[in-house]
Amino acid sequence: MITFTSEWDDGLVITTPVFEYDPKTGYVEAATVDCDPEGCLVREYVTLENGEELDVCGECHEYVLKTHMVEDATGKGIHEELYCPNCEE
């Protein structure tokens, strides 16, 4: 089973089942929980059936972050950078 986990700075960890995950687009639809955490959201991620954890966008909370190559500030190299395919359109 694929799960969606939210970690909060007050120590609360909420894990729910994922109804839909599209690895091509990164779209995630997970079950919701009626809960009002006291802390601030630290991290959200999807755990695949093989145990791999994929970070989820902290803005829209609906897409797994993807990587793309960008130029370094000096323009002399490139590096990987995470982005949300939904928020950075």
Side-chain angles (χ1 to χ4, degrees), residues 41-53:
L41 182 62
V42 175
R43 179 179 180 223
E44 289 182 312
Y45 58 93
V46 169
T47 304
L48 302 179
E49 291 171 339
N50 66 4
E52 181 181 7
E53 293 179 356

Side-chain angles (χ1 to χ4, degrees), residues 9-27:
D9 68 355
D10 63 358
L12 181 62
V13 176
I14 301 169
T15 300
T16 60
V18 168
F19 297 133
E20 180 182 348
Y21 169 60
D22 183 341
K24 185 175 178 182
T25 65
Y27 176 73

Side-chain angles (χ1 to χ4, degrees), residues 3-79:
T3 59
F4 185 98
T5 301
S6 299
E7 296 180 355
W8 300 81
D9 68 355
D10 63 358
L12 181 62
V13 176
I14 301 169
T15 300
T16 60
V18 168
F19 297 133
E20 180 182 348
Y21 169 60
D22 183 341
K24 185 175 178 182
T25 65
Y27 176 73
V28 178
E29 182 182 347
T32 58
V33 175
D34 189 13
C35 172
D36 190 18
E38 298 277 329
C40 294
L41 182 62
V42 175
R43 179 179 180 223
E44 289 182 312
Y45 58 93
V46 169
T47 304
L48 302 179
E49 291 171 339
N50 66 4
E52 181 181 7
E53 293 179 356
L54 305 173
D55 287 322
V56 172
C57 177
E59 298 281 326
C60 70
H61 313 282
E62 294 181 346
Y63 283 81
V64 167
L65 297 177
K66 300 212 177 245
T67 58
H68 60 172
M69 302 304 287
V70 295
E71 281 191 20
D72 293 333
T74 62
K76 296 183 179 187
I78 59 174
H79 66 274

